[in-house]
Each structure stands twice: as C-alpha cells, then as structure tokens.
Amino acid sequence: MSHALPPRSRSASGGGALNGTIRVPGDKSISHRAMMFGAMARGRTTVSGLLEGDDILATGKAMQALGARIEKAGDVWHIDGLGVGGFLAPEHDLDFGNAGTGVRLAMGLVGTSPFATRFVGDASLTARPMGRVLDPLRAIGVEVIEHHDNRLPIALRGPRTPLPIRYRVPMASAQVKSCILLAGLVIPGETVVIEPVMTRDHTEKMLEGFGADISVATDAQGVRTITVMGLPDLKGQELIVPGDPSSAGFPLVAALIVPGSDVVIGNVLMNPTRTGLIDTLVEMGGDIAIENRRVSGGEEIADLHVRYSRLKGVRVPESRAPSMIDEYPVLAVAAAFAEGRTEMPGIEELRVKESDRLAAVARGLEANGVACEEGHDYLVIEGKGRVPGGGTVETHLDHRIAMSFLVMGLASDNPVTIDDDRMIATSFPSFMDDFTRLGASFSPDGEAA
Ligand code: S3P
C-alpha cells in the first residue's frame, strides 16, 4: 500500500485549459459497503465499477481474513460471502490503512462476533476518534478489550447475548449510523437508529437490496428513525458502483477555475445526500449542466458538463453540510478563485476527518496568499478572483487535501506544491493520469516545480 513508500512531493502549475471527458472512479462509500455486505451475504456477490483504491483493497483484505473469498475476474469482482453470523476468527490484526469508513463499519460488522478482533490503521486513522462507535457497541454488550483513549489499536469481542439498542446518533455521521445497523444484523430483535440530520443513505438502500428487513420513518422535522430486524437471510447480489461524486468534485472545480476549460465528467452518482457541492457551485455562478440523468444499480447517475466560469462568493447553508462534508476542501479552492467572501458555517466535523481539514485547508490557503478566517466550526474565505500560489501545503496523510491543492495550482499565478501525494491512491488512483489527459501539468514524482 501507499504507506510503505516514502513521502513524495508534487507540484501543479497553471497552463492551458482543461478539455475532454473524464470518468471518475467508483464511489468509495458504496465500494466499501459492497465488499462488506458481499462478505456477509450468503452466496456470490458480483461487483462492477468497484473503486480499486487502497482504502477499498484494505477492506477487501479484512473481509478475506474473516473468511470471505474475494477475487477479480476481468473487470468484475467476485465475493463469496459467509452468511449473517458466519465470520471466522481472523488470524491477524485487521489493518484498515487510512480508511475511517472501513474500520468504523467493520467494527459494527464483526464486533458482535464471539471472538476477539484487533483493528489497526495508519498514523492518520490512529489519531481519529473511535468513541463515537465504541459507545453504541458497548451498549450492545461488545467488550472493548483494548483501546487507547478510544483510538486504535482497538480489540473487540462480542458478548454471549448481544442486546438490541435504540440509539440517537449525536453527530451527523453515516459511519456511526452504519456501524450500529450492521451490528443490528446479528442481534435478535429490532435495532433502532435515530438520525437527527439525514446523512448518506447507502447502508439503508444497499441492505434492503441484499434482503434485510429495514425500514425508515421520517418525521416532520426530518428526523429519521431507521429500524433493522436481526438475523436476516442476506443473499448475494449483482452490484454496479456509480462514479464517486466526491472524486468528481476535483475535475468539477478545476474546470470552473482554469480559463477556457470545457469538461464532461461521466457516470456520476446523483444521490441527493451527496450532491451539495454541485448545488453550491451553481449558486456561485458555475456553469454546470446535468445531462443524461438515468438510473443504474438502483441509484440515479448523470454526466456533468462543466465550463470555466467567473465565480462569486456565497454563504453555504449549514444544513447542507452532510451532503458535501468531504467536498469542503475543494470548495475552499473554488472560493479562493471567486470574487467576494465565501462563508462555510457548521463544519466542525471536518476536524476529525483524515486530517483536521479545517486547519489544513486554512494553512494551505494562507501559504498560497489567500486570506481566510478559521473558527472552531467555520471557515471564511476572501476570494479575490485570482490566487498568487507559490506555497507548499502540508497534506497530513489526507488525500482530499492533496488533490484540492493540486487543483488550486492548475489556475494559480505560481505553482502550488504538496508535500506528499501518496494518499491520492486511497480514493482516486488515476487522478494524475486522468488530469494529465485533460491538459493539466504536474511536476514528475518527487520533484517540486
Ligand atoms: C462516509 C461517511 C462520512 C464521510 C466519509 C464516508 C461513509 O464520514 O466523511 O468519507 O461512507 O459512510 P462521517 O460518518 O464521519 O461523517
């Protein structure tokens, strides 16, 4: 995996317009779930369009260590699953690398099993809070044999009798919601998750597709009550993974800020819990046409036709945060090139992503001559229509910080350098090649321009 290599700096510099068509890799959230649900279902699951990034490959290895058979035939992944409750005790630690989704969902998936499982990850993942999933797992009766101030390495063992819980998720987190729902699959009776603010709904939709007994009730305030019945007979499915809207954010913003650009991004997931960035960029004046809306694999997808635009600053509604939570770093780049102030309130959750993204973005903007104000839970950016650039950005093992600032360099007056590009392989392994084909210019491996 990428972590085995030494850090590798990289620069992006402004040049010609970006032109052509790009197909972004498969959605990361759906790909993790495809691996896990396939491993838990009885019989064979086939997956096409899977994201073959390091995060997903780590989840795949963990599922193999629990007894699932996983192999690739041509472009299609085959997963032979074990059935609910069928996981075997792993002979080694489960290493999730950089992947928060991988480890948090897997703790729900196997934490109730009657054997010890130890979860580890890289320096970024080890620094991230896991109490948010350990708390509900403890309520279910899962024994936390090892933890380090509720951080990795963590070892779990399931109880003799796991208890169904009714749990209100205290923060907007699809990972916490999903962890509890997955644990609920092996608990007799009804497990209930209350979600005050709707987050991405891939777990609910995909579990239903696999045959789980799951229902969702939404009240007048938008509070969702999700109920899953334990011990279902999940059966293998044929899955098609759509393109990742979070990855699409990079060519989308790049085409908007590099003068003369005209780019089509094909096959992008349009699930409304994921499209907040598109709404925001359109409000900023971005010329984005949503073309060819169609349904694939139970989800709406579309092609995004985007052209260079003069952007203006906006205030992003706080309620939109869950539907674009991973896109704030690249939105910050768009805001830096806009005219006027962009305000992003209610984004405290950015502090516990692959890095403290609020701080990492603010430092990266400052290093490249962009004025901003960082609050505990907000960011304000003063856009001046152009960015001086010329700075070096610390990426803190965070793929989205790395890609966002390379995008900035494609339109800034001077090149932008990132200290380390290795983590891009976690979610967008073809990033450099795909952008080069559109006309972007990057310095070669390890060389800063
Ligand atoms: C994800 C949920 C989000 C998101 C992450 C993927 C998921 O995390 O940031 O990249 O697939 O469930 P949180 O649950 O921490 O908000």
Side-chain angles (χ1 to χ4, degrees):
M1 284 203 293
S2 335
H3 310 76
L5 304 166
R8 195 171 55 191
S9 66
R10 178 85 70 168
S11 299
S13 41
L18 304 178
N19 278 292
T21 299
I22 179 173
R23 240 180 110 94
V24 289
D27 186 69
K28 182 154 76 72
S29 293
I30 294 180
S31 295
H32 275 300
R33 288 162 173 80
M35 282 286 190
M36 293 190 199
F37 302 176
M40 202 187 211
R42 198 162 50 81
R44 173 161 290 190
T45 290
T46 60
V47 192
S48 50
L50 187 87
L51 165 62
E52 295 178 4
D54 286 349
D55 276 13
I56 306 307
L57 300 178
T59 290
K61 287 212 179 86
M63 295 305 110
Q64 286 172 322
L66 293 165
R69 296 222 333 252
I70 302 178
E71 56 190 31
K72 194 179 173 191
D75 289 337
V76 180
W77 288 79
H78 293 178
I79 306 168
D80 290 309
L82 298 146
V84 170
F87 287 134
L88 308 172
E91 285 170 5
H92 53 76
D93 293 350
L94 304 185
D95 185 350
F96 285 91
N98 195 247
T101 306
V103 79
R104 293 203 179 107
L105 269 61
M107 284 195 224
L109 199 69
V110 288
T112 51
S113 300
F115 48 74
T117 310
R118 191 162 184 269
F119 302 83
V120 300
D122 72 2
S124 155
L125 192 56
T126 301
R128 297 179 69 181
M130 296 296 154
R132 52 181 61 198
V133 287
L134 293 183
D135 287 347
L137 290 175
R138 286 181 177 113
I140 285 167
V142 173
E143 187 189 349
V144 182
I145 310 166
E146 178 189 353
H147 73 95
H148 303 265
D149 192 19
N150 285 332
R151 285 171 169 75
L152 299 180
I154 287 171
L156 303 177
R157 183 173 25 233
R160 197 159 292 157
T161 319
L163 300 170
I165 57 170
R166 184 179 176 86
Y167 195 83
R168 190 179 175 92
V169 181
M171 69 292 289
S173 171
Q175 292 177 359
V176 175
K177 164 178 69 178
S178 302
C179 170
I180 303 163
L181 291 174
L182 294 178
L185 291 176
V186 278
I187 304 174
E190 279 182 2
T191 292
V192 180
V193 178
I194 298 157
E195 184 178 52
V197 191
M198 184 170 185
T199 61
R200 65 194 70 197
D201 59 354
H202 307 306
T203 297
E204 298 91 302
K205 285 176 112 168
M206 290 175 71
L207 280 182
E208 189 176 10
F210 273 90
D213 181 351
I214 182 165
S215 61
V216 183
T218 307
D219 74 11
Q221 280 72 45
V223 176
R224 298 172 82 233
T225 301
I226 309 156
T227 305
V228 68
M229 182 64 86
L231 308 178
D233 180 19
L234 301 186
K235 294 200 189 75
Q237 299 294 308
E238 283 178 24
L239 304 177
I240 304 169
V241 183
D244 194 325
S246 299
S247 297
F250 302 108
L252 196 52
V253 169
L256 289 173
I257 63 174
V258 177
S261 297
D262 188 333
V263 171
V264 174
I265 311 165
N267 186 44
V268 180
L269 173 66
M270 294 299 289
N271 179 312
T273 64
R274 301 289 302 281
T275 50
L277 176 70
I278 299 175
D279 298 339
T280 306
L281 291 172
V282 168
E283 284 172 12
M284 293 173 82
D287 179 353
I288 303 169
I290 300 172
E291 297 172 348
N292 262 326
R293 278 188 185 267
R294 56 206 185 269
V295 173
S296 169
E299 289 280 5
E300 196 177 349
I301 60 170
D303 305 328
L304 306 178
H305 190 168
V306 49
R307 297 179 185 88
Y308 169 73
S309 307
R310 299 200 70 87
L311 302 175
K312 60 177 194 318
V314 293
R315 180 178 169 87
V316 185
E318 199 170 329
S319 59
R320 196 180 285 160
S323 69
M324 54 177 292
I325 195 67
D326 292 335
E327 283 67 81
Y328 281 95
V330 79
L331 175 66
V333 171
F337 284 92
E339 295 280 355
R341 156 182 291 226
T342 292
E343 298 175 359
M344 308 175 185
I347 54 173
E348 192 178 356
E349 274 293 304
L350 291 199
R351 295 208 179 270
V352 290
K353 296 298 178 186
E354 283 81 332
S355 68
D356 176 345
R357 284 187 178 155
L358 239 172
V361 167
R363 299 296 84 72
L365 292 172
E366 287 161 4
N368 289 287
V370 179
C372 64
E373 182 191 329
E374 175 197 353
H376 172 64
D377 62 352
Y378 69 86
L379 185 63
V380 176
I381 298 171
E382 303 293 346
K384 296 265 186 284
R386 52 173 282 271
V387 169
T392 297
V393 178
E394 285 184 53
T395 50
H396 303 283
L397 295 177
D398 189 327
H399 56 134
R400 297 201 199 280
I401 299 298
M403 290 185 278
S404 297
F405 282 96
L406 286 178
V407 166
M408 173 179 264
L410 298 177
S412 53
D413 300 344
N414 298 289
V416 172
T417 302
I418 58 167
D419 65 348
D420 187 3
D421 74 359
R422 292 172 301 165
M423 288 304 130
I424 292 174
T426 62
S427 67
F428 200 157
S430 58
F431 177 88
M432 229 61 84
D433 289 346
D434 289 348
F435 268 78
T436 303
R437 231 177 297 116
L438 292 177
S441 55
F442 301 110
S443 63
D445 284 15
E447 266 180 40

